[in-house]
Amino acid sequence: MSLFRRASTTSELLAIGGRARARGRAVRSTEARQQSVVWASCRLRSDLVSLMPVDVYRKAGPINARVTTPPVLKVPSAWADGQPMTIGEWLGSSQMDLDTHGNAFGIIRAVDALGKPAQIDLVAAEDVSARIVDGRIVSYRIAGELTEPRHVWHERQFTVGGLPLGLSPIAHAALSILGASGAQSFATDWFANGAVPSAHLKNTEMQIPDPGQAAAIKARFQASVANGDVFVSGKDWEYSALAAKASESGFIQQMEYTDVALTRFFGVPADMVDVQSSTGSVTYANITQRNLQLLVMNLGGAVKRREDTISARILPEPRFAKLNRDAVLAMDAKTRAELFKLQVDARLRTPSELRVLEDHEPLSEEQFTEFDRLFPSRTQTPQ
């Protein structure tokens, strides 16, 4: 079976149900993402992360020396021959999966001489499930095909103790807001209980059950989860990472959250996605302060997690990766000029360095001569 073909339900898979219930009506698994503010928040975060170039450094005494970026951090994947996926596109696509599903998956197609990933092809989170034993992932199933963990690229965010899968921002918010008694049991229920549609309960130890046995297991499972009770099962069960999407939709509709509340879940300022705040508009002295607030308070954690993952899994020690935040920290022309002047006056940078940042060539001898004619005295007389 192809890695990019969706797995079909067989008699070995026990379907839990087709839809979730929220406020007395059926809820489809795609309705959570139909909220425009949810899409806008994920799109904004994905776009900003895709703007950040990945720089590679190594420790050289007291400073970080920049080194050559490996090819995998320039072109990590390819759609086809001659159609590369750039690092910006790769980061943006995987960030969208992290923010909507809590997990981003890929297949490691090639490794370098050190055994580090040299090509990572992203796959849809909908096609991935994980087999968990004693709180550890022992295998993945991608589009129905069994895949060893060493061949899978897996990034996660908003994890909880005892579950090696990440949660989406909405699921993580529900964990705290609903006041679940146990984080691990809540996360397990979120992925696998009867309120989650389009999921499968699969026993990996037993053979394909006969219809009577399957009906008995199904009835027992439904009876347990319908009353919120604990379902006691065998030792090896498999959970689909995407199964929580419909529960998120039901959670949103049941709690009747507003657009402003949804922006809080995703860590995006309301005015950034055209949502009117009841407290009025937030004013900033300049664009730099606004972007700095967004970068530090809202995206800082996500960016740092991605830096750590790339450094640990792709780069050999002592090299490490940093996403260039300056690409997002844009300044207006006046603020940029004032900053450059301060850096020159403090002897932190030379005019030639700053001209390179502005895509200008270094000053020529003719330009120096003209400056000397226009400004005869380069030093100011002390007052």
Side-chain angles (χ1 to χ4, degrees):
M1 181 183 293
S2 170
L3 285 173
F4 301 100
R5 185 184 306 165
R6 294 180 182 274
S8 59
T9 303
T10 66
S11 58
E12 185 182 3
L13 302 178
L14 181 61
I16 295 176
R19 298 179 182 178
R21 306 295 302 184
R23 300 184 64 84
R25 72 175 188 86
V27 178
R28 296 183 180 275
S29 60
T30 58
E31 289 192 17
R33 298 180 69 177
Q34 289 176 358
Q35 291 271 1
S36 62
V37 67
V38 172
W39 175 86
S41 300
C42 294
R43 190 270 311 163
L44 176 62
R45 291 169 59 90
S46 173
D47 284 350
L48 291 177
V49 171
S50 68
L51 287 175
M52 301 180 188
V54 181
D55 300 327
V56 180
Y57 299 86
R58 64 175 176 83
K59 279 290 185 181
I63 65 172
N64 297 328
R66 187 170 177 178
V67 298
T68 304
T69 303
V72 67
L73 294 182
K74 296 179 179 179
V75 182
S77 179
W79 291 115
D81 291 339
Q83 300 180 19
M85 172 183 276
T86 62
I87 186 62
E89 187 179 4
W90 190 89
L91 287 172
S93 300
S94 53
Q95 187 64 43
M96 182 68 76
D97 280 347
L98 285 171
D99 289 335
T100 54
H101 306 310
N103 301 271
F105 300 97
I107 299 176
I108 300 175
R109 300 289 189 185
V111 296
D112 59 17
L114 298 176
K116 300 289 186 177
Q119 180 181 347
I120 305 171
D121 292 343
L122 298 177
V123 297
E126 296 95 329
D127 292 339
V128 181
S129 59
R131 181 186 172 201
I132 304 171
V133 177
D134 295 331
R136 297 185 61 187
I137 298 177
V138 297
S139 65
Y140 294 89
R141 192 172 293 274
I142 301 177
E145 293 190 5
L146 189 65
T147 308
E148 295 182 12
R150 62 189 180 93
H151 297 310
V152 176
W153 175 267
H154 182 190
E155 289 186 77
R156 59 186 70 85
Q157 69 176 3
F158 301 128
T159 55
V160 295
L163 187 72
L165 294 173
L167 298 175
S168 72
I170 296 176
H172 196 261
L175 170 62
S176 300
I177 294 173
L178 295 181
S181 58
Q184 181 176 357
S185 62
F186 173 87
T188 303
D189 291 342
W190 186 269
F191 281 105
N193 68 15
V196 180
S198 302
H200 294 97
L201 178 66
K202 176 183 177 181
N203 192 313
T204 59
E205 291 294 311
M206 62 188 298
Q207 299 295 325
I208 298 176
D210 57 67
Q213 187 179 8
I217 297 175
K218 179 179 178 180
R220 177 169 167 253
F221 183 83
Q222 289 179 335
S224 297
V225 299
N227 299 323
D229 201 356
V230 177
F231 176 68
V232 181
S233 61
K235 63 179 180 179
D236 286 333
W237 293 91
E238 191 169 287
Y239 304 104
S240 173
L242 185 66
K245 297 312 296 178
S247 287
E248 294 176 9
S249 178
F251 169 71
I252 292 174
Q253 296 185 18
Q254 182 179 3
M255 305 299 288
E256 297 181 349
Y257 281 113
T258 62
D259 288 348
V260 176
L262 290 175
T263 60
R264 296 193 191 104
F265 293 157
F266 286 90
V268 174
D271 61 293
M272 281 285 191
V273 289
D274 299 326
V275 172
Q276 183 64 36
S277 175
S278 59
T279 58
S281 60
V282 181
T283 59
Y284 293 83
N286 53 46
I287 296 176
T288 305
Q289 292 182 7
R290 183 63 172 124
N291 291 342
L292 183 61
Q293 185 267 347
L294 175 65
L295 181 62
V296 175
M297 302 299 295
N298 302 109
L299 272 177
V303 172
K304 183 61 168 59
R305 286 191 295 268
R306 304 215 66 179
E307 289 176 344
D308 292 342
T309 301
I310 293 174
S311 300
R313 298 194 58 190
I314 293 182
L315 298 175
E317 294 183 355
R319 298 185 179 187
F320 60 94
K322 294 182 67 175
L323 271 65
N324 193 339
R325 295 162 172 81
D326 290 341
V328 179
L329 192 59
M331 295 179 287
D332 59 270
K334 179 182 178 182
T335 304
R336 187 166 60 251
E338 293 174 349
L339 175 62
F340 288 171
K341 184 179 185 303
L342 290 174
Q343 291 178 336
V344 172
D345 292 342
R347 306 299 192 268
L348 296 176
R349 283 185 173 181
T350 64
S352 297
E353 288 180 289
L354 299 177
R355 288 179 63 84
V356 172
L357 294 178
E358 293 292 286
D359 297 326
H360 298 315
E361 295 182 357
L363 291 171
S364 63
E365 290 300 325
E366 291 78 6
Q367 290 172 318
F368 278 122
T369 302
E370 184 175 351
F371 276 124
D372 290 338
R373 186 173 68 252
L374 294 175
F375 310 101
S377 177
R378 296 188 180 183
T379 59
Q380 297 180 354
T381 303
Q383 296 292 331

